[in-house]
């Protein structure tokens, strides 16, 4: 078998960090999709990956030379309840490669069979969730949002048993790393300070090398993760993304979006929107995501207390000081992004209130989130295009009252209207993974073996900021505004 250029740093950590476990072979692997551009970015040979030996590796039927398959150990708070041992129950990290820029990237098989962390599960993945994660993670990458990536999707030729029999599949996921807040919690709950220190040193070297030279490297590490997460969640809000399961084991230390289970995107704007069928109390609603990110980061800070100072009082002071930076970092990222979405290049007093007023009026009038901001691009250039925005509001006069203030603010900008509109189109997508389109794609693949909708949607979403007039139907909201839409975790 052709060797992949593995260099497996995590597998060189102490063995209590993981369980060595090869993927479990499947009956009849078939390649559904290979991300050739990503393969080339990773320095891999797309033609080899698409061939028999490559598909065998992507399905878990063969372990490539240089791989060191492991299932990582971690803990986590799930909907606020702490579970001291979770771990990779259906995923196997094949190893790490250095991409063409020298960045270290994990290559993981998701749905690769049972591991010691499977908790009586089968360790497999159904086709629907695999296609959802492939599509949405690649859409997020095209939107410019830090995310894990999808290298390949392979069907297994075997059914998985959920509420019914479903076709099985394996996703090959690429990540800066799969280290989570829950990874730190795994060692903290066991009082394993040596393990915590080894993990923290590994994360500093891999993700935050500048922290190594700081006066307090572990506080600098915490501050780095806080900054990355504040920026990430702000970007989620800018495109109407709802993660759905922001458990601490689903928060990446690297600042990437990870684990696309019951995720979805807003249609009609409502900050209280919840999609996940198991989020009965709205813990992970769209508008709650910034607060939950801080809650998760506080749990991370708690794990680092033994490393932050010599005594408990000093450690708590260091942690609190670091966490105090979150609010300002998030607000700066969030309001800065909203200002750009409204065509404002200069920062002025009142900009945050102007954006907040629009969002309030959108919520009251069930205006579609993505369409409102995209249609505003034309309105910034041509006032007669206001008609398109007004049509999105139950009461069009609610937009009129706001638009007067908006145009007054735009008049203070140095750019001409055409430049403003062009800048707005670069940050306001025309195309997102509309929930009804994602569901239709999954149904076609699962029920009829038809992957054409998947390929079409993937192509459209690869250029989210382009108008694509021939694909305009994919930009439209569902007729019912997405009311009552629910997602499921897919495990």
């Amino acid at each position: 078998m052709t060797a992949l250029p593995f260099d497996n740093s995590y597998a060189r950590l102490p063995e209590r960090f993981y369980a060595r476990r090869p993927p479990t072979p499947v009956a009849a692997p078939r390649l559904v999709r290979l991300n050739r551009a990503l393969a080339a970015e990773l320095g891999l040979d797309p033609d080899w990956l698409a061939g028999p030996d490559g598909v065998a590796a992507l399905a878990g039927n063969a372990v490539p030379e240089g791989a060191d398959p492991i299932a990582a150990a971690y803990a986590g708070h799930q909907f606020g309840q702490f579970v001291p041992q979770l771990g990779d129950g259906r995923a196997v990290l094949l190893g790490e490669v250095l991409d063409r820029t020298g960045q270290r990237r994990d290559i993981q098989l998701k749905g690769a069979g049972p591991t010691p962390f499977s908790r009586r599960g089968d360790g497999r993945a159904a086709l629907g969730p695999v296609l959802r994660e492939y599509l949405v993670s690649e859409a997020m990458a095209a939107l410019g949002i830090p995310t894990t990536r999808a290298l390949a999707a392979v069907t297994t030729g075997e059914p998985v048993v959920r509420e019914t029999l479903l076709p099985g599949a394996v996703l090959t996921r690429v990540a800066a790393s799969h280290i989570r807040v829950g990874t730190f919690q795994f060692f903290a709950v066991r009082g394993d300070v040596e393990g915590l220190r080894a993990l923290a040193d590994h994360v500093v070297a891999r993700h935050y090398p500048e922290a190594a030279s700081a006066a307090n490297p572990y506080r600098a590490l915490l501050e780095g993760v806080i900054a990355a997460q504040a920026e990430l969640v702000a970007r989620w809000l800018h495109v109407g993304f709802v993660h759905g399961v922001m458990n601490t084991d689903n928060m990446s230390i690297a600042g990437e979006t990870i684990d696309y289970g019951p995720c979805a995107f807003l249609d009609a704007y409502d900050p209280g929107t919840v999609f996940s069928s198991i989020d009965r109390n709205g813990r992970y609603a769209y508008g709650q995501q910034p607060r939950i990110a801080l809650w998760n980061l506080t749990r991370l800070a708690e794990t680092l207390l033994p490393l932050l100072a010599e005594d408990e009082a000093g450690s708590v002071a260091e942690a609190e000081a670091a966490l105090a930076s979150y609010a300002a970092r998030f607000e700066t990222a969030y309001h800065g992004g909203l200002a750009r979405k409204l065509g404002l290049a200069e920062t002025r007093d009142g900009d945050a209130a102007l954006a907040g007023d629009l969002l309030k009026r959108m919520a009251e009038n069930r205006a579609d989130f993505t369409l409102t901001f995209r249609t505003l691009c034309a309105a910034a250039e041509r006032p007669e295009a206001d008609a398109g925005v007004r049509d999105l509001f139950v009461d069009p006069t609610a937009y009129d009252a706001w638009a007067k203030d908006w145009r007054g603010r735009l008049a203070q900008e140095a750019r001409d209207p055409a430049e403003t509109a062009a800048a707005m189109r670069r940050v306001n997508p025309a195309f997102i993974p509309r929930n009804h389109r994602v569901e239709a794609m999954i149904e076609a693949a699962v029920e009829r073996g038809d992957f054409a909708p998947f390929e079409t949607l993937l192509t459209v979403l690869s250029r989210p900021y382009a108008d694509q007039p021939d694909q305009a139907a994919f930009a439209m909201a569902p007729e019912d505004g997405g009311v009552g839409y629910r997602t499921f975790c897919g495990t």
Side-chain angles (χ1 to χ4, degrees):
M1 175 178 290
T2 301
L4 300 180
F6 286 113
D7 180 25
N8 307 318
S9 65
Y10 200 80
R12 293 194 288 269
L13 290 169
E15 293 202 356
R16 63 188 184 279
F17 280 60
Y18 49 77
R20 282 197 157 82
R21 179 59 57 97
T24 303
V26 301
R30 184 173 73 85
L31 184 65
V32 171
R33 187 69 160 59
L34 174 67
N35 190 334
R36 286 180 166 269
L38 178 58
E41 182 183 312
L42 295 172
L44 309 181
D45 180 356
D47 291 332
W48 181 83
L49 285 169
D53 289 343
V55 172
L58 296 170
N61 282 21
V63 176
E65 182 182 343
D68 192 355
I70 59 174
Y74 51 84
H77 277 89
Q78 300 195 318
F79 289 89
Q81 302 301 311
F82 185 66
V83 183
Q85 181 166 302
L86 294 168
D88 288 331
R90 59 184 180 130
V92 170
L93 175 63
L94 287 182
E96 305 156 25
V97 299
L98 297 177
D99 67 18
R100 292 195 182 280
T101 68
Q103 180 181 351
R104 186 175 295 275
R105 312 279 285 276
D106 281 1
I107 298 182
Q108 182 195 69
L109 301 184
K110 191 172 181 179
T115 77
F117 307 112
S118 293
R119 294 178 292 167
R120 299 186 300 278
D122 62 9
R124 292 304 191 186
L127 177 60
V130 164
L131 294 182
R132 178 190 294 275
E133 177 155 352
Y134 192 117
L135 183 109
V136 179
S137 63
E138 288 306 297
M140 292 285 272
L143 287 165
I145 297 173
T147 179
T148 60
R149 300 290 303 276
L151 178 61
V154 175
T155 53
T156 64
E158 299 174 349
V160 295
V161 181
R162 299 297 181 257
E163 290 79 5
T164 183
L165 290 179
L166 296 168
V170 177
L171 175 77
T172 305
R173 182 162 72 183
V174 176
S177 80
H178 285 83
I179 302 169
R180 310 145 188 270
V181 171
T183 315
F184 281 83
Q185 290 180 296
F186 179 84
F187 296 100
V189 75
R190 288 160 175 78
D192 186 353
V193 177
E194 181 184 339
L196 269 176
R197 193 181 303 276
L199 179 63
D201 290 344
H202 176 84
V203 171
V204 166
R206 183 164 180 175
H207 298 297
Y208 301 97
E210 66 283 357
S213 58
N216 186 332
Y218 300 119
R219 174 171 166 175
L221 164 62
L222 178 58
E223 289 174 335
V225 179
I226 289 169
Q229 287 294 335
E231 176 74 25
L232 178 65
V233 174
R235 291 189 181 192
W236 287 357
L237 299 189
H238 293 153
V239 296
F241 176 74
V242 183
H243 185 282
V245 226
M246 287 180 67
N247 298 329
T248 56
D249 54 292
N250 290 339
M251 177 177 269
S252 166
I253 293 297
E256 291 183 330
T257 314
I258 191 170
D259 287 330
Y260 293 90
C263 67
F265 287 77
L266 295 181
D267 289 309
Y269 176 71
D270 177 357
T273 298
V274 174
F275 292 115
S276 172
S277 63
I278 57 176
D279 190 1
R280 296 179 180 88
N281 297 315
R283 178 180 175 86
Y284 301 141
Y286 169 83
Q288 290 294 325
Q289 293 178 122
R291 183 184 68 83
I292 290 297
L294 177 57
W295 193 92
N296 289 349
L297 289 164
T298 304
R299 306 288 79 76
L300 173 64
E302 289 168 352
T303 72
L304 293 174
L305 290 177
L307 308 181
L308 290 174
E310 292 295 327
D311 60 277
E312 182 178 354
S315 294
V316 171
E318 294 282 356
E320 289 179 343
L323 290 166
S325 69
Y326 173 83
R329 289 184 181 279
F330 171 76
E331 294 294 331
T332 296
Y334 177 61
H335 290 300
L338 281 180
R340 290 187 291 275
K341 288 173 76 67
L342 294 179
L344 309 178
E346 305 164 7
T347 302
R348 296 179 183 266
D349 291 342
D351 288 353
L354 180 68
D357 186 28
L358 173 61
L359 292 172
K360 179 175 179 291
R361 292 167 187 267
M362 288 168 61
E364 292 169 346
N365 288 271
R366 295 202 55 76
D368 184 86
F369 183 83
T370 302
L371 288 176
T372 297
F373 282 102
R374 185 67 179 189
T375 311
L376 279 175
C377 302
E381 189 170 12
R382 299 176 293 103
E384 58 269 25
D386 277 352
V389 190
R390 296 178 87 251
D391 287 346
L392 300 171
F393 286 68
V394 173
D395 175 9
T397 63
Y399 167 72
D400 297 338
W402 177 83
K404 181 179 178 181
D405 293 337
W406 176 52
R407 288 219 156 78
R409 175 64 182 84
L410 285 178
Q412 300 172 20
E413 292 284 307
R415 297 184 299 200
D416 65 41
E419 290 175 320
T420 296
M424 290 174 69
R425 289 189 180 96
R426 290 193 290 270
V427 297
N428 289 310
F431 300 94
I432 59 167
R434 290 281 183 183
N435 305 323
H436 64 298
R437 292 288 184 179
V438 173
E439 293 300 333
M441 171 274 290
I442 291 173
E443 181 182 10
V446 172
E447 301 298 330
R448 301 187 295 278
D450 179 7
F451 292 95
F454 169 67
E455 290 289 344
T456 299
L457 193 52
L458 198 59
T459 299
V460 170
L461 294 173
S462 69
R463 300 170 58 228
Y465 298 104
D467 282 326
Q468 303 186 62
D470 55 331
Q471 304 290 359
F474 288 95
M476 302 309 296
E479 291 184 5
D480 63 358
V483 175
Y485 177 70
R486 289 289 177 267
T487 55
F488 303 87
C489 68
T491 49

